[in-house]
Amino acid sequence: MTNTVDLQALAAQIAGKLTGPGGQFEMTAEEVLGATIPVFRNRHRSLLEVLEASRELGDRDYLVSADSRMTFAEHYEAAGALAAALAQRYGVGKGDRVGILAANNPEWVLTFWAAQRLGAIPVGYNAWWAPMEIAYGLEHTEPKVVIVDAKRAAAVAESGSTVPVLTMEQDLPALIAEFAGQYPSVEVAEDDPACILYTSGTTGRPKGVVHSHRNMVAVSDYHRFTDALAAGFRGLPWDGSPTSRRFLTTSPLFHIASLHNLAIPRLRTGDAVVFPSGGFDADKILRLIESERITNWGAVPTMASRLLDTDLTQYDLSSLAGFSLNAAPSSPALQQRLRERLPVAQVALTTSYGCTESGTAATVATPPDLMTNPETVGRPIIGVAVEIRDPEGNVVPDGTEGEICIRSAYVMLGYWSNEDASKASIDENRWLRSGDFGFVSEGRLQMAGRRSDLILRGGENVYPTEIENALDDHPLVQESAVIGIPHEDLGQEVAAIVVVANPDSVTEDELRDHVAQRLAYFKVPARWLITADALPRNATGKVLRRDLSLGE
């Protein structure tokens, strides 16, 4: 019996005690939206209950930035005041949407929790969207009000939207002061909508993923369960008492990695969320780890790769106890380089697989998993069932490639105002069709390919159709195809093949500007081929993307 098997058996033994009858995380099966799903028996029934309980965390740091430090008690007070302001001044009530368009900062999180007091639905818009994309998002979810940072206020104005806009820098402090001491609350059901985040879709239009109170409370309980499991490995008791960890937030809050799986669970665990300022800079991040004594960091592989361009011995990284690679697949070579250079990666490196629709990671690969198989994305987490299915929906044997399907209490309700897409993604038994492909071997999931045609640029999902639609709107473009090509730092970069009658009639710069006016910067192609040759297609007229290249 190998060490890995021993550790897996030990993990199963500890988990069994935690989740068995009378355990702190006892699991039971309940009907959820027509399907029988494993759930934690002892749980809060809404995010508002989570917020109310956080009041007891008092003067511990919750939200930390270069400009401010907000304790749990201060956050509780501010969330109540802002909720009262939104209700009384802007008519926000149960089920209404509250838009959030901003870079990561404490006010983003505060707005999220203020909305929960009203039973409203915070909508996290992509902070990198261009004005046309912002206009679409605001029209699609129709918020009563949108709360922005100063940089995005101009973009909202340019979008032509008439939705009332509140700035985080000026309006929020004034409203919180004016409505101080108020704590509105409403009753919500577990399966009521609690949040909307946007994810790109293969149709080219971003879709609004709706997560329920059940989904998001369950994600927080999953993180608490992993804490209890870790304590069990060390032979220590676990009673849920607050710890003193400090989590570095480098992924955007409009992604589940930072919102569902970092900022929100801290209200249950009593840990701090630390926000860097500005764009990613390796030296600045490493200095912040030193100064704030960061204990946990989930980085996208691109960020981790950039760390290796610095001399890590010049920084005190001894506080780091947890390090994970999120949002995009990581190569075995990158994992090994990190182990060689970053001390925490030698003992605590993990990776995972999930998507916005799944609410949290569906599978997690532990350090022993990665040492055994560096290409795995791990085993299903507590409460998750994973099946690999063929095109007809039949479960395939281990080792056979197919579509990854997921069922759990974490899986989204569906897509906002898009019943057809919801039915296409979630079947009558609440199985989520991920659109991703892989296979299971020895209980571990391994990716065979991301969603068809998806480009993963620096941790951001980029779907070609959306860019092709923008390109095809150019009067000289006859047709176009967008593909991902390897990039040393970003993983992939966006490349476009554009067909025009006369290749001399349009330049790369003109096409680049055309796309940049319509889409976020990371979707703008970096590489181009302008040609008069038609795109290769199959018998049904579908572009053969595997046959595409820039001809270099």
Side-chain angles (χ1 to χ4, degrees):
M1 184 176 288
T2 67
N3 255 354
T4 302
V5 173
D6 289 338
L7 290 173
Q8 190 62 32
L10 178 59
Q13 180 182 16
I14 298 169
K17 292 180 180 178
L18 291 171
T19 61
Q24 293 160 299
F25 293 89
E26 181 179 349
M27 298 291 290
T28 186
E30 294 182 7
E31 185 172 304
V32 178
L33 301 174
T36 302
I37 303 288
V39 296
F40 294 109
R41 180 182 295 277
N42 304 309
R43 63 188 188 273
H44 289 306
R45 262 52 179 186
S46 72
L47 287 171
L48 181 53
E49 289 187 15
V50 172
L51 176 61
E52 290 293 354
S54 74
R55 192 175 197 174
E56 301 303 316
L57 294 169
D59 292 334
R60 306 177 71 90
D61 279 349
Y62 176 32
L63 304 173
V64 177
S65 71
D67 303 319
S68 67
R69 290 177 183 270
M70 184 180 294
T71 67
F72 286 95
E74 290 167 341
H75 170 264
Y76 181 90
E77 296 294 323
L82 180 55
L86 293 175
Q88 298 173 38
R89 187 67 53 81
Y90 296 94
V92 176
K94 184 176 179 179
D96 290 331
R97 275 72 65 204
V98 175
I100 310 173
L101 181 67
N104 285 3
N105 59 43
E107 289 75 20
W108 205 113
V109 180
L110 174 64
T111 301
F112 173 90
W113 285 110
Q116 300 305 329
R117 278 209 162 277
L118 303 173
I121 308 169
V123 184
Y125 298 114
N126 190 316
W128 297 330
W129 273 354
M132 288 182 65
E133 294 168 299
I134 294 170
Y136 164 75
L138 295 176
E139 181 181 356
H140 181 235
T141 37
E142 301 178 300
K144 277 287 188 74
V145 62
V146 60
I147 297 178
V148 304
D149 57 21
K151 183 176 180 179
R152 276 81 189 175
V156 173
E158 190 177 340
S159 76
S161 171
T162 59
V163 176
V165 174
L166 299 177
T167 62
M168 294 175 169
E169 293 84 353
Q170 295 182 347
D171 295 324
L172 259 59
L175 290 171
I176 290 169
E178 181 180 351
F179 289 85
Q182 300 188 46
Y183 314 99
S185 65
V186 297
E187 294 291 328
V188 295
E190 280 193 272
D191 294 310
D192 283 349
C195 179
I196 300 173
L197 298 181
Y198 277 88
T199 181
S200 296
T202 53
T203 59
R205 280 287 199 178
K207 296 195 291 289
V209 174
V210 184
H211 287 118
S212 67
H213 287 267
R214 182 193 301 277
N215 297 154
M216 302 184 80
V217 171
V219 171
S220 291
D221 282 334
Y222 155 65
H223 284 277
R224 295 173 66 244
F225 167 79
T226 63
D227 290 346
L229 188 64
F233 264 108
R234 296 192 299 270
L236 301 174
W238 184 89
D239 62 4
S241 297
T243 63
S244 299
R245 293 173 300 185
R246 303 180 78 76
F247 286 73
L248 181 62
T249 309
T250 50
S251 294
L253 283 163
F254 53 81
H255 282 188
I256 62 167
S258 281
L259 183 62
H260 296 46
N261 291 278
L262 196 155
I264 292 173
R266 305 292 70 85
L267 251 72
R268 302 298 314 280
T269 62
D271 302 312
V273 178
V274 181
F275 298 102
S277 58
F280 182 84
D281 176 85
D283 177 72
K284 181 173 65 177
I285 290 296
L286 292 165
R287 295 296 179 198
L288 186 61
I289 292 173
E290 282 187 328
S291 63
E292 286 290 342
R293 304 301 295 163
I294 298 297
T295 60
N296 296 73
W297 182 23
V300 300
T302 298
M303 294 175 183
S305 177
R306 291 178 184 175
L307 289 187
L308 300 178
D309 293 332
T310 65
D311 181 0
L312 296 179
T313 64
Q314 300 302 305
Y315 305 89
D316 178 6
L317 306 179
S318 59
S319 61
L320 269 181
F323 183 76
S324 62
L325 295 171
N326 303 325
S330 58
S331 69
L334 174 60
Q335 295 173 23
Q336 186 55 34
R337 290 199 303 272
L338 286 167
R339 291 189 189 99
E340 293 169 355
R341 301 273 309 282
L342 187 64
V344 67
Q346 297 173 16
V347 294
L349 177 64
T350 65
T351 190
S352 61
Y353 163 73
C355 54
T356 307
E357 291 87 343
S358 66
T360 187
T363 64
V364 170
T366 63
D369 287 329
L370 291 175
M371 291 299 292
T372 301
N373 180 2
E375 295 185 354
T376 187
V377 288
R379 306 170 190 273
I381 68 168
I382 187 73
V384 170
V386 171
E387 291 184 350
I388 308 298
R389 297 182 177 181
D390 65 18
E392 287 71 45
N394 302 309
V395 178
V396 301
D398 278 11
T400 303
E401 180 181 322
E403 184 176 13
I404 301 166
C405 297
I406 304 160
R407 186 167 72 173
S408 75
Y410 318 118
V411 167
M412 68 170 183
L413 290 175
Y415 296 110
W416 182 262
S417 192
N418 195 336
E419 186 175 350
D420 289 343
S422 298
K423 288 182 177 178
S425 293
I426 301 179
D427 69 16
E428 64 277 7
N429 294 313
R430 295 294 300 168
W431 282 96
L432 170 69
R433 302 181 182 96
S434 72
D436 296 329
F437 295 86
F439 60 91
V440 171
S441 177
E442 298 181 345
R444 302 185 188 94
L445 177 65
Q446 187 160 322
M447 301 294 295
R450 298 291 293 185
R451 301 168 194 234
S452 58
D453 308 334
L454 177 66
I455 300 167
L456 281 169
R457 180 196 179 279
E460 281 294 328
N461 291 351
V462 179
Y463 284 94
T465 303
E466 189 177 18
I467 306 169
E468 290 160 0
N469 289 344
L471 282 168
D472 293 348
D473 192 46
H474 191 285
L476 295 181
V477 174
Q478 296 176 344
E479 59 178 350
S480 64
V482 172
I483 58 175
I485 58 177
H487 187 276
E488 183 176 355
D489 186 29
L490 297 171
Q492 286 183 302
E493 63 179 352
V494 182
I497 301 166
V498 181
V499 179
V500 296
N502 177 8
D504 294 328
S505 64
V506 65
T507 67
E508 293 180 11
D509 286 343
E510 289 173 318
L511 293 172
R512 187 178 291 110
D513 290 343
H514 176 81
V515 177
Q517 291 174 18
R518 290 160 172 76
L519 300 176
Y521 80 92
F522 63 88
K523 301 175 185 176
V524 178
R527 305 279 295 280
W528 297 84
L529 173 63
I530 302 173
T531 179
D533 297 330
L535 299 173
R537 296 179 183 271
N538 64 15
T540 63
K542 184 178 180 180
V543 174
L544 297 170
R545 293 185 184 274
R546 292 183 180 180
D547 294 344
L548 296 174
S549 73
L550 298 186
E552 299 174 351

